[in-house]
Amino acid sequence: MMKILNLGLGLMMAASLFSCNNGSDKNKNSGNGALSSNAAEQVYVAPGEHDDYYAFISGGYSGNLLVYGLPSGRMFKEIPVFSQFPTSGYGYSEETKPMLNTSHGFIPWGDAHHPDISQTDGVIDGRWVFINENNTPRIARIDLETFETVEVIEVPNSAGNHSSSFVTENTEYVVAGTRFSVPIPQQDISIKEYKGKFKGTLSFIKVDEDSGNMEIKFQLMMPGFNYDLSHPGRGQSHGWFFFTTYNTEEANSLLEVNASQNDKDFIAAVNWKKIEEYVNNGGGEMMPAEYAHNLYDHNTHTATSTMKKEVLMVNPTEVPGAVYFMPTPKSPHGVDVSPDGQYIIGNGKLSANLTVHSFPKMLEAIKNEKFDGEAYGIPILDFEEILAGVVEQAGLGPLHSEFDDKGNAYTTFFISSEVVKWKLDTWEVVDRKPTYYSPGHLTIPGGNSRDPDGKYMFVMNKITKDRYLPVGPELEHSAQLYDISGDKMELISDFPTHGEPHYAAAIKADKVAPKSKKFYKLAENTHPYAAKNEGETKVVRDGNIVHVYMTTIRSHFSPDNIEGIKVGDKVYFHITNLEQDFDVPHGFAMIGQNNSELLIMPGQTKTSVWEPTKVGVWPFYCTDFCSALHQEMQGYIRVSPKDSDIELDWSLGDDAEE
Ligand code: K7E
Ligand code: CUA
């Protein structure tokens, strides 16, 4: 069994986590340095000019992903991912409801954490962004041609999908890891049986090279620790993946004390190439599991949800040489891998020091069997043997590190509210700057790749307080942008983010902007209820189900007068936007509709349901100001009593009775 070293520091350090250094006068940036005209020039993007970088910032408990520009800090789009979004009808329209389907049913909300951009040869390639949902474990893929969510896969045998969704250097895999260990398979047992009975899984999800489609290749059944964060090996360490753990104590209550007992927890080093080979040769066991796989198709403009029934489970002790534990002080949160793949940094959140492990030393220690016991059959590597160095007294409460292109690392310190720059190889601190306040993640474009870009770094903070004009008790979080091109970091701007921005991924704009889609081609629209011209519009009744095949074009709906609808009907509006031009959406809103509006992009078909409950003549209209005659873009529906014999009738442009 694993060894327990209790230095009794846990309680003290845990308590100080709650008393952050924020809002104090010494940290207050009162508008001199950072607001100098020099800094203003650095972030100024003139009207009509474009930013140099896209930043994809997690929306945290909004469940979404936000697109910002750097250096301006302007927000361009909120991409709905795990949450219903009335702005566009995502998760409300019939086509997108399946995106939010899970084995627990329809879940209208999610808690998004870590976006990561796909890579080729260790360099971010701008094809897709992956992002994890923590609460009901899922991973989504966003297509960077359309900036829309196109796939969501649920992760079974998992709870709190936090150590996700980072990719390997050729996007072979995107990973997930369970933060809360649970009985696997789930069963009705006492919570007190946690120790030994609860397990954590690490999931390796294969990404198809061409389509990007995800499929769970295998899960590793790990001890019942909390798996917090992860990062891939790269370059020399490609083929490995590193996951931090906390609660190696396996406590099931009052974790703030009980999970802070061990002096060291672990970073699990997983040789996924070895396990891949093992499963390709028939290793592992299929076990029953229920999880949803949701895919959106850009031709049918429709998502489908498939319920999967089994998953391949691997017991790590049956694959010798595949998994090792690296002892790491103190309840590490982030684990970050240097651009060359040599160093693995453990951000021990209850520690003042940063621990850096050496990948070559790790391989040596494995070869020479320099072990210090084992945990559940998994060898624990000797701490001293694998240690590359320690960044001494860097700050308080390290959470996450990123890297530049000049051999420096940057670490956020939650408790001391600062970002600290230090040198790889010498481990010396070379600069520190306050950040406002209590930072979580930080981002450097390409920061999780072989090729980081050393111009900008931004820090995403947990506490906003006095940074902006007050807006009542609920504040957006704040982010600060630093110029890191010189020896010292220079704070150049401050911008609010939306939701809670756990991590962001950023990329040079020219890798993404040129292939951004302008509209959907009507000729490629294979939606079964599309009307591709006004001649195809119609209203069809089947019992109490009514299908309205409707079109929009500046500035009318076809049809715009419908009669013969009855109370108790279920009316499906299938609306095709006939426009074939950039940036001409039309909207659709129906009075009393117990749903959301729709925003329909050119060439797209979207459907919403209306169940009229009241007799009368009811209007609908376009919600998006699409032309000078937008206010004229409206229509009426006559709703008759259930037993009425008014015939179904629809028209456009026939005025009144002759
Ligand atoms: Cu540190 Cu979810 Cu990556 Cu938030 S996590 S900070
Ligand atoms: Cu169409 Cu306004």
Side-chain angles (χ1 to χ4, degrees):
M1 293 308 293
M2 45 170 298
K3 66 176 191 176
I4 310 256
L5 280 175
N6 182 356
L7 293 194
L9 267 170
L11 189 55
M12 192 188 83
M13 293 297 289
S16 59
L17 265 181
F18 295 98
S19 51
C20 317
N21 176 13
N22 58 62
S24 71
D25 284 345
K26 122 174 124 66
N27 269 1
K28 202 166 164 196
N29 185 323
S30 43
N32 29 26
L35 295 181
S36 70
S37 61
N38 181 34
E41 262 168 42
Q42 281 178 270
V43 297
Y44 182 68
V45 177
E49 299 281 303
H50 289 178
D51 279 280
D52 296 333
Y53 297 86
Y54 285 99
F56 298 94
I57 306 186
S58 164
Y61 37 66
S62 80
N64 293 340
L65 180 69
L66 288 300
V67 188
Y68 281 75
L70 297 180
S72 72
R74 297 181 294 190
M75 199 259 261
F76 302 142
K77 186 177 182 182
E78 178 168 4
I79 302 174
V81 184
F82 298 113
S83 295
Q84 284 184 306
F85 195 59
T87 307
S88 63
Y90 179 89
Y92 292 96
S93 72
E94 294 307 299
E95 289 83 359
T96 53
K97 277 181 189 167
M99 293 301 279
L100 303 181
N101 190 37
T102 74
S103 64
H104 303 270
F106 179 83
I107 308 267
W109 166 87
D111 180 18
H113 279 247
H114 308 118
D116 203 17
I117 298 169
S118 55
Q119 299 188 12
T120 305
D121 296 327
V123 177
I124 48 177
D125 61 22
R127 292 192 293 165
W128 309 301
V129 177
F130 298 88
I131 188 165
N132 57 316
E133 205 276 273
N134 189 59
N135 182 45
T136 303
R138 284 170 284 172
I139 292 179
R141 181 170 57 90
I142 290 110
D143 177 346
L144 289 187
E145 283 184 15
T146 59
F147 288 66
E148 296 287 344
T149 305
V150 290
E151 187 175 11
V152 175
I153 192 164
E154 192 179 354
V155 184
N157 299 319
S158 182
N161 175 34
H162 196 257
S163 36
S164 186
S165 52
F166 303 102
V167 302
T168 56
E169 72 173 26
N170 289 299
T171 323
E172 294 97 334
Y173 289 95
V174 55
V175 303
T178 193
R179 181 168 145 217
F180 311 117
S181 282
V182 287
I184 297 176
Q186 271 292 4
Q187 55 196 289
D188 175 22
I189 61 174
S190 166
I191 300 164
K192 302 210 164 54
E193 291 185 69
Y194 186 111
K195 211 170 213 163
K197 283 239 172 122
F198 285 37
K199 301 283 175 203
T201 56
L202 304 178
S203 306
F204 284 76
I205 296 156
K206 188 91 194 135
V207 179
D208 184 272
E209 241 182 290
D210 301 315
S211 65
N213 289 356
M214 296 181 281
E215 185 189 6
I216 301 178
K217 176 96 171 176
F218 60 87
Q219 293 192 305
L220 268 181
M221 181 85 82
M222 297 287 286
F225 308 151
N226 292 37
Y227 297 86
D228 204 11
L229 273 149
S230 68
H231 267 96
R234 56 178 60 100
Q236 58 184 278
S237 52
H238 178 55
W240 290 78
F241 223 106
F242 304 95
F243 296 81
T244 43
T245 69
Y246 64 100
N247 192 24
T248 51
E249 296 85 349
E250 296 180 74
N252 58 278
S253 180
L254 197 64
L255 265 63
E256 62 173 317
V257 176
N258 295 328
S260 304
Q261 300 300 312
N262 290 353
D263 181 48
K264 297 187 181 72
D265 293 283
F266 301 129
I267 290 172
V270 176
N271 185 336
W272 58 263
K273 277 213 168 147
K274 196 160 233 160
I275 302 169
E276 180 182 60
E277 193 185 306
Y278 170 78
V279 305
N280 284 346
N281 289 321
E285 256 181 62
M286 278 295 179
M287 73 170 273
E290 202 185 23
Y291 60 102
H293 183 205
N294 311 330
L295 259 181
Y296 185 83
D297 182 306
H298 275 308
N299 292 326
T300 59
H301 299 283
T302 301
T304 48
S305 177
T306 313
M307 205 54 74
K308 302 278 197 167
K309 296 290 178 203
E310 55 180 15
V311 71
L312 185 65
M313 188 64 76
V314 172
N315 176 345
T317 60
E318 286 176 8
V319 197
V323 183
Y324 297 91
F325 285 133
M326 310 164 93
T328 306
K330 287 253 359 173
S331 299
H333 184 54
V335 52
D336 299 289
V337 179
S338 61
D340 63 0
Q342 186 182 352
Y343 298 121
I344 299 130
I345 290 107
N347 302 261
K349 61 185 185 283
L350 302 181
S351 172
N353 299 334
L354 282 168
T355 304
V356 184
H357 300 298
S358 154
F359 180 73
K361 283 185 162 185
M362 181 193 98
L363 291 184
E364 264 310 286
I366 291 170
K367 197 169 86 193
N368 300 320
E369 302 193 354
K370 300 283 190 189
F371 301 140
D372 185 8
E374 56 165 42
Y376 294 98
I378 295 169
I380 299 169
L381 292 160
D382 185 284
F383 178 70
E384 296 296 336
E385 292 288 334
I386 61 171
L387 189 68
V390 174
V391 185
E392 301 277 358
Q393 300 294 324
L396 278 180
L399 291 185
H400 299 284
S401 301
E402 292 247 307
F403 309 90
D404 67 13
D405 52 354
K406 301 174 203 77
N408 301 299
Y410 301 77
T411 302
T412 47
F413 289 84
F414 180 84
I415 299 170
S416 51
S417 248
E418 58 190 335
V419 57
V420 172
K421 176 180 177 180
W422 51 277
K423 275 198 159 346
L424 289 161
D425 298 314
T426 67
W427 325 122
E428 64 189 308
V429 171
V430 292
D431 190 22
R432 61 176 70 236
K433 286 284 177 325
T435 180
Y436 309 95
Y437 305 99
S438 297
H441 278 271
L442 74 172
T443 295
I444 290 172
N448 172 36
S449 80
R450 273 200 212 180
D451 186 28
D453 184 311
K455 177 89 176 97
Y456 299 114
M457 176 268 294
F458 63 99
V459 176
M460 290 153 275
N461 300 281
K462 303 302 180 190
I463 293 172
T464 307
K465 289 206 171 184
D466 55 5
R467 298 308 291 173
Y468 315 120
L469 287 173
V471 288
E474 185 185 337
L475 306 174
E476 291 287 23
H477 289 222
S478 77
Q480 277 92 43
L481 179 71
Y482 299 79
D483 180 336
I484 55 165
S485 56
D487 288 341
K488 300 283 175 192
M489 297 175 272
E490 193 194 346
L491 175 61
I492 53 175
S493 91
D494 189 322
F495 59 96
T497 57
H498 183 58
E500 183 177 359
H502 307 268
Y503 202 46
I507 186 168
K508 270 261 186 208
D510 58 17
K511 284 190 172 178
V512 174
K515 54 186 185 138
S516 179
K517 211 179 201 54
K518 299 220 157 41
F519 58 87
Y520 298 103
K521 290 200 177 105
L522 202 52
E524 292 170 4
N525 180 331
T526 54
H527 191 294
Y529 291 95
K532 300 223 210 168
N533 57 62
E534 291 185 357
E536 291 179 9
T537 60
K538 59 189 173 184
V539 182
V540 178
R541 175 181 286 284
D542 177 11
N544 71 331
I545 306 283
V546 178
H547 290 283
V548 179
Y549 295 67
M550 189 180 267
T551 59
T552 60
I553 197 155
R554 280 162 288 181
S555 297
H556 58 267
F557 291 96
S558 173
D560 67 358
N561 280 202
I562 300 173
E563 303 207 353
I565 302 294
K566 298 173 203 172
V567 168
D569 281 350
K570 195 167 187 182
V571 182
Y572 288 87
F573 296 101
H574 307 287
I575 305 168
T576 304
N577 182 351
L578 299 178
E579 307 281 355
Q580 289 289 272
D581 206 350
F582 189 27
D583 199 20
V584 196
H586 291 286
F588 176 79
M590 179 76 230
I591 189 171
Q593 190 178 15
N594 189 3
N595 206 325
S596 89
E597 67 154 343
L598 292 178
L599 199 62
I600 308 133
M601 296 305 125
Q604 194 175 44
T605 304
K606 279 188 180 175
T607 302
S608 74
V609 170
W610 178 50
E611 296 179 71
T613 55
K614 290 181 178 165
V615 167
V617 177
W618 306 102
F620 59 89
Y621 71 100
C622 171
T623 48
D624 186 304
F625 208 108
C626 49
S627 75
L629 294 169
H630 155 81
Q631 290 299 77
E632 282 72 12
M633 194 164 173
Q634 64 177 57
Y636 283 106
I637 296 184
R638 174 179 175 185
V639 177
S640 305
K642 206 177 177 66
D643 55 2
S644 141
D645 53 10
I646 304 281
E647 287 292 312
L648 207 52
D649 185 42
W650 63 93
S651 60
L652 167 72
D654 300 351
D655 241 333
E657 286 130 54
E658 287 97 79

